Amino acid sequence: MAFQDFDKIQERVNAERKRKFRKRVIAGSVSFLVVVAAIIGGAFAYVSYQKGNNISNNGNTESKNTNQKSPVSATQSIKHVTFDKIVETLCNSTLYKQNCEKTLKDKAKNDTSLSNPKALVKSAIEAVNVDLDRVLEKFPSLKIENEDDKHAIEQCKLLVEDAKEELAESASKMNDTNVGNFERIVPDLNNWLSAVMTYQETCLDGFEDGELKSDIQKSFNSSQILTSNSLAMIKSLEAYLSSGSKAPIRRLLESKSSDRIPSWVSHEERRMLRVVDVNLLKPNATVAKDGSGNFTTINDALNAMPEKYEGRYIIYIKQGVYDETVTIDKKKANLTMVGDGSQKTIVTGNKSNAKKIRTFLTATFVAQGEGFMAQSMGFRNTAGPEEHQAVAIRIQSDRSIFLNCRFEGYQDTLYAYTHRQYYRSCVIIGTVDFIFGDAAAVFQNCNIFIRKGLKGQKNTVTAQGRIDKFQMTGFVIQNCTITANDDLKLEKGEFQSFLGRPWKKYSRTVVMESTIDDVIDPIGWLRWQETDFAIDTLFYAEFKNDGVSGETSSRVKWPGFKVMSKEEALNYTVGPFLQGSWINSMSCPVKFGLYEL
């Protein structure tokens, strides 16, 4: 359906108001044939109504009735049919269609400006925000029995505020864009709304099963449905606009040597990523444990960073082991940290779930500010395998880049939490679910090491947490090596290891063009807690992997697993999957397409 022409239809209708009744109906029918093929049926139904058929208000034809009353005006009828058709089209692909239609129609009752699809989608996003306000209002009335519940509530409030902030960004972006340019903002909308879904789920994950969690889950039910519907409506609109574009988006098939960089990285940032020479970096601040810099701790340097700094702020961190918990908050955007090497400049900690700390809060290092970049740094959590979940780094910074970094831990090492993330030439080490979260993350040219954990424990490289099938999130592991760490090499036969398992219902992980060593079990993937959970809704895929365990003939036979074709694999390369606009630059080693091309 030509969504961008709805306003033109309305203009034609208004121009015909003073004409005779039959001419108005005929003109309206002709306009529909020319502009909106999807509503031709409605127009002809109305004409047949004039010939004696009884047409109900929603456009369904019923038995002929010669004694029926005179119809409403043609303008009113056409408006009604057009609006209903817009709503039907937008809601058709949602998981909660009836809820979607009711939301849009209820909104339109009190706002006559909701006459085009962009305005309707915006109203759906605003409806999520209203529902989250209701969630916040309910918190004070909840029965809290212990300190753990209290802390979980406080964490949940912060996550809801994060969600509301990104919903506001989405609505604001839609205000600044007309229907014809809608496809330009789709990547950001998908990104933000996907994060909104994850924030709500993380809130629920913070509570132990019981009455309190059930109450909170009920509170979130409506907002989760509305978020899912908003994502689906954006996808419906995007699909049409992409198919009707005069210049469709190309799936660039680049040469093997062609490496590119995302458009969000400026010329100065590209230059910085090529080198670690401090004289060329010209850092704003230098951290050194021996006192040779401006600061002796990373947190002191962060505290001195201006909240509103124009351009990119660079902190150079000299070699040393920095035992501190670091959080880069949302106010500190466009920050770069550069170390002397991933095994020389190390941020370390040992918080763990075994110490009665929620997994979300165990991270040694947290990056929230948009546009965070790290180069030549190490991030550790030294809590051993017996302490279970212990995060080395949690990333929710949109458009974040990690180059030549090292992430060390056991269970839950790298929490790729939300938004768009890119990892290049990194080392990632762990045991259970050690790359997990719900970001849209691509790992290229990385070395992924599975280490020795607890006896009888099954190792899993990934546990991706996509909640809804319309989210743009997932993990892509491309041109990486997956092998045993030194401490596991001699005992790898005693520990089963897998590429991943489904943490959430729509878990999505792609492994392609990578070398998979014999540390990985030939079946490849593991069920979640030995159940059938998500095996028909997940998306696990492989393409052109090699190594002893790269062969796919013995892989799981789940409905959600597949071996991809080249055309399918292209959808999970950096450009299309991260939804980035990529420019012709060779300055930073980022592969845009497939390595085999």
Side-chain angles (χ1 to χ4, degrees):
M1 180 179 291
F3 291 113
Q4 65 266 44
D5 290 332
F6 285 146
D7 291 334
K8 294 180 181 179
I9 295 172
Q10 192 61 54
E11 290 173 7
R12 290 191 180 95
V13 171
N14 292 335
E16 297 296 327
R17 282 182 177 176
K18 296 182 180 181
R19 297 191 180 186
K20 293 183 179 180
F21 180 76
R22 179 168 293 278
K23 287 183 179 180
R24 185 163 55 238
V25 174
I26 294 172
S29 299
V30 172
S31 296
F32 288 170
L33 286 170
V34 174
V35 184
V36 189
I39 58 172
I40 288 176
F44 275 113
Y46 186 78
V47 173
S48 64
Y49 177 91
Q50 296 305 112
K51 295 180 179 179
N53 290 327
N54 178 20
I55 300 175
S56 64
N57 286 337
N58 62 8
N60 295 324
T61 305
E62 299 176 353
S63 60
K64 186 174 181 180
N65 182 356
T66 57
N67 295 321
Q68 70 181 95
K69 296 180 180 179
S70 299
V72 294
S73 74
T75 299
Q76 291 173 324
S77 177
I78 293 172
K79 279 184 178 179
H80 184 68
V81 171
T82 302
F83 176 78
D84 280 357
K85 207 65 181 178
I86 298 172
V87 170
E88 180 185 343
T89 303
L90 287 175
C91 294
N92 192 50
S93 63
T94 62
L95 297 177
Y96 312 96
K97 185 176 179 179
Q98 289 184 338
N99 178 283
C100 177
E101 292 180 350
K102 184 178 187 304
T103 299
L104 297 184
K105 290 177 180 179
D106 286 350
K107 281 277 186 180
K109 286 179 182 177
N110 300 317
D111 188 349
T112 57
S113 68
L114 298 180
S115 58
N116 66 70
K118 192 200 79 166
L120 286 169
V121 173
K122 178 174 174 285
S123 74
I125 292 171
E126 291 172 337
V128 183
N129 221 338
V130 171
D131 259 31
L132 288 179
D133 282 334
R134 296 193 185 102
V135 172
L136 290 174
E137 290 169 0
K138 186 169 181 178
F139 281 151
S141 65
L142 293 171
K143 184 180 180 181
I144 301 174
E145 298 182 348
N146 52 56
E147 283 297 307
D148 284 345
D149 289 344
K150 180 181 178 181
H151 292 154
I153 288 288
E154 292 305 312
Q155 177 183 307
C156 195
K157 287 178 181 178
L158 294 175
L159 290 166
V160 171
E161 291 297 339
D162 284 343
K164 287 177 60 59
E165 183 177 322
E166 300 201 19
L167 287 165
E169 288 279 354
S170 301
S172 176
K173 182 74 78 171
M174 295 198 70
N175 278 338
D176 299 335
T177 308
N178 59 40
V179 174
N181 293 325
F182 181 80
E183 67 272 19
R184 296 181 183 179
I185 65 170
V186 165
D188 284 337
L189 294 176
N190 281 333
N191 171 54
W192 292 327
L193 291 176
S194 292
V196 169
M197 290 287 294
T198 306
Y199 295 143
Q200 295 175 76
E201 187 73 6
T202 305
C203 173
L204 296 173
D205 286 343
F207 295 90
E208 296 293 334
D209 290 340
E211 184 178 343
L212 179 60
K213 183 172 183 176
S214 296
D215 286 346
I216 293 174
Q217 198 158 23
K218 290 176 184 176
S219 299
F220 275 112
N221 186 54
S222 178
S223 61
Q224 287 179 310
I225 288 173
L226 288 170
T227 310
S228 174
N229 284 344
S230 297
L231 278 164
M233 284 188 280
I234 289 167
K235 191 174 183 67
S236 295
L237 194 50
E238 178 197 20
Y240 172 78
L241 293 173
S242 295
S243 64
S245 173
K246 294 180 180 179
I249 297 172
R250 295 181 297 126
R251 301 298 189 202
L252 297 185
L253 309 181
E254 302 186 31
S255 66
K256 187 170 183 176
S257 63
S258 180
D259 285 340
R260 302 189 178 226
I261 128 181
S263 62
W264 62 73
V265 182
S266 70
H267 175 74
E268 181 65 18
E269 292 156 5
R270 295 176 201 129
R271 179 194 61 77
M272 182 201 63
L273 283 170
R274 289 198 301 271
V275 295
V276 188
D277 190 328
V278 68
N279 295 317
L280 296 177
L281 283 176
K282 297 179 181 178
N284 300 88
T286 298
V287 180
K289 292 181 72 67
D290 62 6
S292 61
N294 308 104
F295 306 94
T296 57
T297 70
I298 297 171
N299 279 307
D300 284 345
L302 279 174
N303 291 334
M305 177 183 171
E307 287 190 0
K308 295 181 180 180
Y309 182 81
E310 294 296 328
R312 181 157 289 276
Y313 195 87
I314 301 171
I315 299 177
Y316 167 50
I317 307 170
K318 290 188 176 183
Q319 67 179 40
V321 177
Y322 296 83
D323 189 355
E324 52 182 309
T325 299
V326 178
T327 298
I328 300 164
D329 63 38
K330 285 190 172 185
K331 294 179 181 179
K332 293 177 170 58
N334 300 317
L335 170 65
T336 293
M337 288 186 174
V338 180
D340 281 329
S342 65
Q343 297 192 74
K344 293 182 178 180
T345 298
I346 299 166
V347 189
T348 189
N350 63 0
K351 293 180 182 179
S352 70
N353 190 254
K355 295 182 175 71
K356 304 299 182 183
I357 302 172
R358 274 181 295 284
T359 303
F360 188 80
L361 300 177
T362 62
T364 299
F365 191 99
V366 178
Q368 295 177 320
E370 182 176 355
F372 176 73
M373 302 168 69
Q375 182 176 358
S376 303
M377 290 185 63
F379 305 90
R380 285 181 184 167
N381 191 314
T382 59
E386 66 281 350
E387 296 202 31
H388 306 292
Q389 296 94 333
V391 177
I393 186 168
R394 167 164 54 90
I395 307 105
Q396 60 191 85
S397 166
D398 190 22
R399 297 171 174 171
S400 51
I401 295 174
F402 294 84
L403 179 63
N404 296 325
C405 289
R406 185 180 181 92
F407 310 93
E408 293 183 49
Y410 287 87
Q411 184 170 347
D412 292 1
T413 302
L414 194 163
Y415 195 172
Y417 182 44
T418 55
H419 300 121
R420 293 164 284 196
Q421 305 176 12
Y422 178 75
Y423 301 79
R424 174 78 177 202
S425 301
C426 293
V427 173
I428 309 162
I429 305 171
T431 55
V432 179
D433 304 340
F434 63 96
I435 302 174
F436 78 113
D438 194 23
V442 175
F443 302 83
Q444 276 186 352
N445 292 27
C446 295
N447 288 325
I448 299 171
F449 293 103
I450 301 172
R451 72 195 309 178
K452 182 180 175 180
L454 299 175
K455 285 290 184 182
Q457 196 174 60
K458 293 179 180 180
N459 297 320
T460 43
V461 175
T462 66
Q464 204 282 327
R466 192 166 66 133
I467 308 150
D468 186 276
K469 75 175 186 177
F470 294 109
Q471 285 180 287
M472 45 75 74
T473 56
F475 295 159
V476 176
I477 297 173
Q478 183 185 18
N479 199 44
C480 295
T481 297
I482 301 172
T483 189
N485 198 46
D486 287 343
D487 63 351
L488 183 61
K489 281 183 178 178
L490 296 178
E491 298 183 55
K492 59 187 175 185
E494 299 180 23
F495 292 84
Q496 278 188 293
S497 299
F498 304 86
L499 296 172
R501 60 175 181 161
W503 181 27
K504 299 294 180 180
K505 186 176 180 180
Y506 292 95
S507 181
R508 177 161 64 179
T509 300
V510 172
V511 182
M512 60 187 189
E513 300 181 304
S514 295
T515 298
I516 305 175
D517 202 357
D518 62 356
V519 67
I520 296 295
D521 192 286
I523 68 170
W525 306 84
L526 181 67
R527 293 173 184 265
W528 184 262
Q529 298 178 345
E530 300 183 359
T531 69
D532 286 341
F533 171 73
I535 63 171
D536 56 348
T537 51
L538 58 76
F539 182 84
Y540 287 167
E542 297 182 51
F543 173 75
K544 293 288 184 180
N545 295 317
D546 58 19
V548 176
S549 290
E551 169 61 43
T552 58
S553 59
S554 298
R555 290 294 194 257
V556 293
K557 307 303 179 185
W558 303 342
F561 172 77
K562 74 180 304 181
V563 177
M564 295 186 296
S565 66
K566 180 188 297 185
E567 289 70 26
E568 291 170 320
L570 281 168
N571 293 320
Y572 296 95
T573 54
V574 169
F577 188 67
L578 289 185
Q579 305 160 352
S581 300
W582 302 76
I583 61 176
N584 296 325
S585 171
M586 303 289 288
S587 15
C588 180
V590 176
K591 185 66 180 178
F592 189 98
L594 294 170
Y595 280 80
E596 70 160 22
L597 298 173

